[in-house]
């Protein structure tokens, strides 16, 4: 039999403290999503914000649920509606009762997705950022495609189809993200520097890619109650920012939504895009480190998870008390 990893001692958080952390979390999520929800109630689509909840198939209600991550006992939470939430179990410490995330439950439901995501994130984190794609994936999705290729029919183009074709023809497409390339027009796919496949995603992802960073949000959501709420909010905020840069550098005209273009068809615009990429690498590499820490913490608190595999346990700390809405 494989040796078993001993779970770390849990940390008990008093009810007053964890309720404050929960409230801070929901306020942070609301600051990011209130406009989106109000537009949805009015039936008004948004070419930037909607993507995060349609493409990734997540909901604001799910994101608003705060979880402390594994190894944390929430005092008296068994007396609240949280007792009905998935992946929690009742426990006691020194005579004080509450709820704690059950890592076995999380891994039994999310394990395959978590394993795949962690493999991608670890590989991506190990590489330098490849600058110079200039966000041309959105251009490649329109290349020689005509009206049938327009992915945002309610959003006008800010440049002509001939210019879109000329920009792609005059550039070397360097897309490294399979989930972007699969939306390229048929004419654009052979122009990409590399042939991308789902099977090769682990080998191709790199940290300067906007979409690779946005995917961190979905990976954290997929961890369900195993993901600390602070990490969920920070990856959501990063995804919002990346999606905005993504669309501002596209051929679409977002002036009706108050967004100025990043004209990557010009040297000046490309310089601006690369500057964004440099900051994106630093930001998302930090998020990747936190994601991998959360994944290891989930395993280290799971009494049925075999030791070995080269993943050392992570020292558990109480949830951060000074976390505020991310910028």
């Amino acid at each position: 039999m494989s040796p078993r990893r001993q779970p770390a001692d849990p940390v008990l958080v008093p009810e007053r403290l964890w309720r404050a952390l929960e409230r801070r979390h929901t306020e942070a999520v609301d600051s990011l999503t209130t406009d989106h929800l109000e537009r949805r109630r009015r039936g008004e689509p948004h070419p930037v914000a909607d993507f995060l909840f349609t493409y990734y198939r997540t909901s604001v209600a799910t994101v608003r649920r705060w979880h402390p991550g594994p190894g944390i006992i929430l005092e008296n939470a068994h007396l609240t509606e949280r007792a009905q939430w998935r992946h929690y179990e009742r426990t006691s410490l020194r005579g004080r009762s509450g709820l704690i995330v059950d890592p076995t439950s999380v891994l039994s439901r999310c394990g395959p997705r978590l394993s795949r995501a962690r493999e991608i994130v670890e590989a991506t984190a190990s590489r330098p950022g490849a600058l110079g794609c200039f966000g041309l994936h959105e251009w490649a999705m329109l290349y020689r495609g005509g009206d049938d290729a327009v992915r945002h029919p309610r959003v006008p183009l800010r440049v002509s189809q001939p210019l879109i074709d000329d920009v792609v023809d005059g550039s070397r497409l360097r897309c490294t993200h399979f989930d972007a390339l699969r939306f390229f027009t048929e004419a654009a796919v052979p122009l990409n520097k590399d042939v991308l496949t789902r099977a090769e995603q682990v080998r191709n992802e790199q940290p300067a890619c906007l979409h690779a960073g946005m995917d961190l949000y979905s990976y954290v959501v997929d961890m369900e109650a195993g993901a600390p709420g602070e990490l969920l909010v920070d990856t959501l905020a990063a995804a919002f920012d990346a999606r905005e840069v993504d669309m501002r550098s596209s051929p679409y005209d977002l002036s009706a939504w108050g967004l100025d273009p990043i004209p990557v068809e010009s040297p000046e615009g490309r310089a601006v895009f690369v500057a964004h990429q440099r900051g994106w690498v630093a930001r998302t590499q930090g998020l990747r480190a936190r994601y991998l820490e959360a994944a290891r913490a989930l395993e280290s608190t799971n009494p049925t998870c075999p030791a070995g595999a080269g993943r050392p346990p992570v020292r558990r700390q109480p949830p951060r008390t000074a976390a505020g809405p991310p910028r």
Side-chain angles (χ1 to χ4, degrees), residues 74-149:
L74 304 180
E75 184 183 31
N76 296 332
H78 60 289
L79 304 176
T80 72
E81 64 175 10
R82 191 178 290 262
Q84 306 302 316
W85 292 9
R86 182 184 285 126
H87 305 313
Y88 280 88
E89 61 180 351
R90 185 172 176 178
T91 190
S92 297
L93 182 68
R94 295 187 290 275
R96 298 164 71 181
S97 297
L99 294 179
I100 192 170
V101 171
D102 178 1
T104 303
S105 174
V106 174
L107 291 172
S108 66
R109 176 178 164 88
C110 311
R113 297 196 306 272
L114 174 59
S115 178
R116 171 66 175 171
R118 185 176 58 195
E119 185 180 17
I120 293 171
V121 173
E122 284 181 333
T124 307
S126 71
R127 302 185 180 112
L131 308 176
C133 71
F134 306 125
L136 292 178
H137 53 277
E138 288 286 348
W139 297 69
M141 294 175 192
L142 293 165
Y143 177 70
R144 302 194 185 284
D147 292 341
D148 292 340

Side-chain angles (χ1 to χ4, degrees), residues 233-298:
V233 171
D234 289 351
T235 54
L236 175 61
F240 267 116
D241 290 346
R243 178 59 177 168
E244 184 174 302
V245 172
D246 187 39
M247 289 302 294
R248 288 175 60 205
S249 58
S250 77
Y252 294 97
D253 181 0
L254 300 173
S255 58
W257 290 269
L259 297 174
D260 295 329
I262 300 174
V264 294
E265 67 274 18
S266 70
E268 295 79 10
R270 292 188 174 196
V272 171
F273 186 86
V274 169
H276 278 291
Q277 279 190 303
R278 294 186 190 280
W280 184 240
V281 171
R283 183 177 186 180
T284 57
Q285 290 291 60
L287 293 173
R288 287 184 183 93
R290 290 168 60 191
Y291 173 84
L292 294 172
E293 178 185 3
R296 289 191 293 264
L298 192 62

Side-chain angles (χ1 to χ4, degrees), residues 12-315:
L12 187 139
V13 178
E15 181 176 1
R16 179 177 58 83
L17 176 56
W18 72 255
R19 284 193 178 276
L21 292 169
E22 179 182 56
R23 183 169 57 253
R24 188 182 293 271
H25 173 87
T26 57
E27 289 171 353
V29 173
D30 289 348
S31 72
L32 293 167
T33 61
T34 295
D35 290 345
H36 164 73
L37 292 177
E38 290 180 353
R39 284 191 302 267
R40 191 174 69 180
R41 280 191 287 268
R42 296 194 299 264
E44 298 176 4
H46 194 287
V48 176
D50 293 353
F51 176 85
L52 300 180
F53 300 101
T54 55
Y55 179 80
Y56 289 123
R57 299 181 181 180
T58 59
S59 70
V60 174
T62 297
V63 178
R64 288 183 88 249
R65 282 192 171 190
W66 174 76
H67 302 288
I72 304 294
I73 301 173
L74 304 180
E75 184 183 31
N76 296 332
H78 60 289
L79 304 176
T80 72
E81 64 175 10
R82 191 178 290 262
Q84 306 302 316
W85 292 9
R86 182 184 285 126
H87 305 313
Y88 280 88
E89 61 180 351
R90 185 172 176 178
T91 190
S92 297
L93 182 68
R94 295 187 290 275
R96 298 164 71 181
S97 297
L99 294 179
I100 192 170
V101 171
D102 178 1
T104 303
S105 174
V106 174
L107 291 172
S108 66
R109 176 178 164 88
C110 311
R113 297 196 306 272
L114 174 59
S115 178
R116 171 66 175 171
R118 185 176 58 195
E119 185 180 17
I120 293 171
V121 173
E122 284 181 333
T124 307
S126 71
R127 302 185 180 112
L131 308 176
C133 71
F134 306 125
L136 292 178
H137 53 277
E138 288 286 348
W139 297 69
M141 294 175 192
L142 293 165
Y143 177 70
R144 302 194 185 284
D147 292 341
D148 292 340
V150 174
R151 296 183 53 78
H152 304 281
R154 299 188 182 188
V155 185
L157 295 175
R158 63 177 180 82
V159 295
S160 67
Q161 183 67 53
L163 180 57
I164 293 171
D165 298 341
D166 287 347
V167 168
V168 174
D169 284 331
S171 306
R172 189 178 189 188
L173 297 181
R174 294 182 173 89
C175 185
T176 56
H177 190 65
F178 173 73
D179 283 313
L181 182 132
R182 67 191 179 96
F183 293 108
F184 281 21
T185 63
E186 186 176 350
V189 171
L191 302 180
N192 200 54
K193 175 179 177 291
D194 297 309
V195 176
L196 306 178
T197 66
R198 176 69 70 201
E200 294 290 305
Q201 186 176 4
V202 173
R203 293 181 57 184
N204 292 315
E205 294 283 23
Q206 51 84 23
C209 173
L210 294 177
H211 282 264
M214 280 193 279
D215 283 353
L216 285 167
Y217 160 65
S218 69
Y219 298 155
V220 174
V221 171
D222 282 345
M223 200 182 290
E224 298 187 3
E230 294 83 0
L231 178 59
L232 179 56
V233 171
D234 289 351
T235 54
L236 175 61
F240 267 116
D241 290 346
R243 178 59 177 168
E244 184 174 302
V245 172
D246 187 39
M247 289 302 294
R248 288 175 60 205
S249 58
S250 77
Y252 294 97
D253 181 0
L254 300 173
S255 58
W257 290 269
L259 297 174
D260 295 329
I262 300 174
V264 294
E265 67 274 18
S266 70
E268 295 79 10
R270 292 188 174 196
V272 171
F273 186 86
V274 169
H276 278 291
Q277 279 190 303
R278 294 186 190 280
W280 184 240
V281 171
R283 183 177 186 180
T284 57
Q285 290 291 60
L287 293 173
R288 287 184 183 93
R290 290 168 60 191
Y291 173 84
L292 294 172
E293 178 185 3
R296 289 191 293 264
L298 192 62
E299 289 186 344
S300 73
T301 54
N302 179 21
T304 66
C305 186
R311 305 187 192 282
V314 173
R315 184 187 301 273

